[in-house]
């Protein structure tokens, strides 16, 4: 190494190697750090870890490292091959700073990729760091797996269970059905933390969790919030007979809106056929105006709804039912909420909102 080259401390951290040269490529904003084995370096097998024997050649390595002042950094060196008496084979030497998942990255960069994936989606990280998406996924998975070793499910009394869409239909494997495209996510309702995730949204997915925590822990659970997915309710009934199954507000409002939309669309179509409004009123962007609560609407959206409500009495009635339904969740007790819910059912019946009435009756049972 030339005496007059200053090597920053951050570049002197490659175990078993010393920096021989630094090369800068200003146009490409790239820096290459060239390494050579340090004196007295003892090679070890990358598989079994034992001391290696006779030298059997080398191959060049060019690892991507964490950026330095926005410049790309590459680590260049030769990796030696030796005979391993333990494996009885020619083996490459162990490189302590090499990422265990990819032979193209340093451990430091894989750590950085993992930190970034905590803040952002994997494909965004892949674009930011110019590392292919699959490598980013693999690195992230490897580090997470190490972090989760020894993880213990905390003691829980209130659970929330939900499904998330994990794969597209194209990725359906033989013998799987639509339920297998989901993950079941189990959340501690008190801390709002995800405590477990299982594959698929079948009953067996939640069964697996209850079997894992055991009957004693199941007995402590007194409430489980789910969407209206029947398989989850059945699993709770079987494993936690003492727990109350409740439907969470988000899913109830979602299903309520779906039913209401069907009835409202019928009325809007009737207005279009009578040539009272243009076809544009059936567009999706106008539908969203109806979905928001009155207090959150913009003045123009409010005007739009008032105009239609004046033209069609049934739509006006359905708006009142919707606002009443939202207020229901503010009730502190069941006794206060029940009459409000009954109002919604009665009004849906009186205004002949067929789909809405059917849905309200289905949850009222
Ligand atoms: Zn070996």
């Amino acid at each position: 190494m030339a005496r007059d080259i200053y090597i920053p401390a951050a570049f002197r951290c490659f175990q078993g190697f010393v920096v021989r040269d630094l090369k800068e490529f200003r146009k490409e904003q790239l820096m290459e750090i060239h390494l050579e084995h340090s004196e007295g370096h003892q090679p070890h097998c990358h598989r079994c870890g034992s001391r290696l024997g006779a030298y059997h050649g080398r191959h060049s390595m060019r690892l991507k490292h964490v950026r330095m002042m926005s410049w790309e950094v590459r680590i260049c060196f030769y990796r030696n091959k030796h005979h391993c008496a333990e494996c009885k084979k020619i083996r490459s030497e162990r490189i302590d700073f090499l990422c265990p998942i990819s032979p193209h990255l340093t451990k430091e960069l894989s750590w950085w990729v993992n930190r970034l994936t905590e803040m952002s989606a994997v494909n965004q990280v892949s674009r930011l760091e110019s590392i292919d998406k699959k490598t980013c996924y693999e690195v992230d998975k490897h580090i997470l797996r190490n972090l989760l070793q020894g993880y213990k499910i905390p003691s829980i009394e209130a659970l929330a269970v939900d499904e998330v869409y994990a794969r597209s239909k194209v990725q359906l494997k033989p013998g799987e059905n639509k339920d297998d495209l989901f993950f079941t996510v189990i959340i501690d309702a008190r801390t709002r933390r995800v405590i477990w995730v299982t594959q698929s949204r079948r009953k067996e997915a939640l069964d697996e969790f209850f079997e894992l925590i055991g009957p004693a822990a199941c007995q402590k659970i007194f409430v489980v919030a789910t969407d209206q997915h029947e398989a989850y309710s059945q699993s709770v009934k079987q494993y936690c007979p003492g727990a109350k199954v409740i439907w969470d507000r988000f899913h109830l409002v979602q299903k309520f809106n779906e039913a209401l939309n069907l009835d409202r669309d019928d009325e809007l179509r009737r207005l279009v056929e009578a040539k009272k409004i243009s076809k544009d009123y059936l567009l999706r962007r106008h539908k969203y105006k109806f979905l928001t609560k009155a207090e959150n609407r913009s003045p123009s959206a409010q005007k739009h709804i008032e105009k239609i409500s004046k033209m069609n009495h049934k739509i006006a009635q359905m708006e009142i039912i919707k606002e009443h339904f939202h207020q229901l969740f503010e009730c502190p007790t069941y006794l206060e909420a029940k009459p409000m819910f009954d109002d919604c059912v009665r009004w849906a019946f009186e205004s002949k909102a067929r789909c809405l009435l059917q849905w309200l009756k289905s949850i009222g049972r």
Side-chain angles (χ1 to χ4, degrees):
M1 193 198 332
R3 270 179 177 276
D4 54 349
I5 297 179
Y6 171 69
I7 310 289
F11 294 166
R12 284 184 256 132
C13 55
F14 302 101
Q15 301 91 328
F17 289 82
V18 288
V19 180
R20 179 169 53 83
D21 200 3
L22 284 179
K23 286 184 183 167
E24 290 176 8
F25 303 88
R26 290 181 193 182
K27 210 171 140 195
E28 292 87 0
Q29 297 221 319
L30 171 76
M31 192 184 291
E32 280 185 359
I33 304 174
H34 289 258
L35 307 178
E36 63 184 13
H37 285 93
S38 51
E39 256 177 63
H41 166 71
Q42 299 284 357
H44 287 83
C45 173
H46 80 281
R47 280 286 180 91
C48 68
S50 57
R51 274 275 293 277
L52 289 171
Y55 174 76
H56 269 272
R58 61 182 191 173
H59 58 275
S60 74
M61 302 281 286
R62 197 164 179 272
L63 308 183
K64 201 175 159 84
H65 195 43
V66 274
R67 282 172 200 270
M68 176 68 82
M69 314 292 277
S70 84
W71 280 38
E72 255 195 47
V73 180
R74 302 277 172 172
I75 313 295
C76 309
F77 60 95
Y78 284 104
R79 189 179 190 184
N80 292 344
K81 289 185 276 187
H82 297 258
H83 182 261
C84 175
E86 200 69 36
C87 301
K88 295 184 177 65
K89 267 185 179 178
I90 308 296
R91 291 280 193 213
S92 292
E93 63 178 329
R94 184 179 69 205
I95 305 291
D96 291 330
F97 53 86
L98 178 68
C99 167
I101 296 303
S102 165
H104 308 292
L105 311 180
T106 61
K107 247 184 204 166
E108 280 77 3
L109 182 57
S110 65
W111 166 82
W112 178 236
V113 165
N114 176 254
R115 294 311 309 266
L116 288 174
T117 50
E118 281 177 20
M119 296 176 251
S120 183
V122 171
N123 47 0
Q124 302 283 354
V125 176
S126 151
R127 269 165 54 194
L128 180 74
E129 289 297 323
S130 316
I131 301 171
D132 76 275
K133 209 162 85 176
K134 192 164 183 295
T135 309
C136 281
Y137 270 118
E138 292 297 330
V139 165
D140 191 41
K141 201 166 85 181
H142 175 77
I143 295 179
L144 284 178
R145 187 171 286 161
N146 284 351
L147 283 174
L148 285 174
Q149 267 175 9
Y151 170 73
K152 265 189 182 167
I153 298 170
S155 170
I156 22 153
E157 291 174 343
L159 275 188
V161 183
D162 198 6
E163 77 236 7
V164 288
Y165 201 48
R167 286 183 283 152
S168 75
K169 276 182 202 164
V170 189
Q171 291 166 301
L172 209 63
K173 291 173 195 158
E176 288 186 336
N177 66 20
K178 203 180 156 221
D179 286 340
D180 295 304
L181 298 176
F182 293 82
F183 282 156
T184 296
V185 181
I186 298 148
I187 301 148
D188 182 344
R190 290 205 195 279
T191 59
R192 297 181 181 186
R193 284 195 161 185
V194 173
I195 53 167
W196 198 254
V197 179
T198 50
Q199 284 194 11
S200 107
R201 61 167 186 185
R202 294 170 192 245
K203 177 178 171 289
E204 292 80 10
L206 194 54
D207 290 354
E208 186 189 310
F209 171 75
F210 289 135
E211 273 167 26
L212 201 72
I213 60 172
C218 284
Q219 268 185 4
K220 286 186 194 161
I221 299 170
F222 71 91
V223 64
V224 181
T226 69
D227 56 5
Q228 286 177 276
H229 190 49
E230 189 51 34
Y232 292 154
S233 310
Q234 283 175 4
S235 178
V236 175
K237 268 180 209 156
Q238 185 184 336
Y239 287 88
C240 316
K244 205 174 176 78
V245 177
I246 55 166
W247 294 325
D248 67 69
R249 179 180 182 166
F250 172 81
H251 286 101
L252 284 175
V253 171
Q254 190 186 34
K255 295 288 173 197
F256 175 88
N257 281 334
E258 279 172 18
L260 193 70
N261 276 345
L262 292 173
D263 288 325
R264 193 191 292 118
D265 281 356
D266 284 347
E267 290 308 305
L268 286 173
R269 258 192 290 275
R270 211 161 285 162
L271 287 174
V272 171
E273 278 163 21
K275 298 209 164 100
K276 285 187 179 173
I277 53 171
S278 72
K279 265 186 183 173
D280 288 357
Y281 280 75
L282 294 173
L283 290 175
R284 188 179 274 259
R285 66 189 154 96
H286 290 306
K287 272 185 199 166
Y288 285 117
K289 291 177 183 166
F290 283 101
L291 292 181
T292 37
K293 280 202 277 181
E295 62 193 53
N296 299 335
R297 267 180 216 141
S298 68
S300 68
Q302 187 60 33
K303 221 179 233 179
H304 175 93
I305 285 161
E306 279 168 14
K307 184 183 162 192
I308 292 184
S309 300
K310 266 180 206 161
M311 276 188 238
N312 185 303
H313 187 57
K314 189 168 164 182
I315 290 180
Q317 283 174 321
M318 286 194 287
E319 273 308 292
I320 296 168
I321 299 172
K322 192 185 85 186
E323 289 306 315
H324 206 61
F325 187 75
H326 277 293
Q327 278 169 14
L328 196 147
F329 295 100
E330 309 302 328
C331 295
T333 62
Y334 172 79
L335 283 176
E336 285 169 77
K338 184 72 172 77
M340 287 182 81
F341 179 78
D342 292 341
D343 286 344
C344 291
V345 177
R346 200 178 65 247
W347 295 348
F349 174 75
E350 284 168 5
S351 60
K352 297 191 179 71
R354 194 172 44 85
C355 299
L356 186 61
L357 182 65
Q358 202 177 3
W359 180 78
L360 285 169
K361 279 185 172 173
S362 79
I363 63 158
R365 259 183 248 133

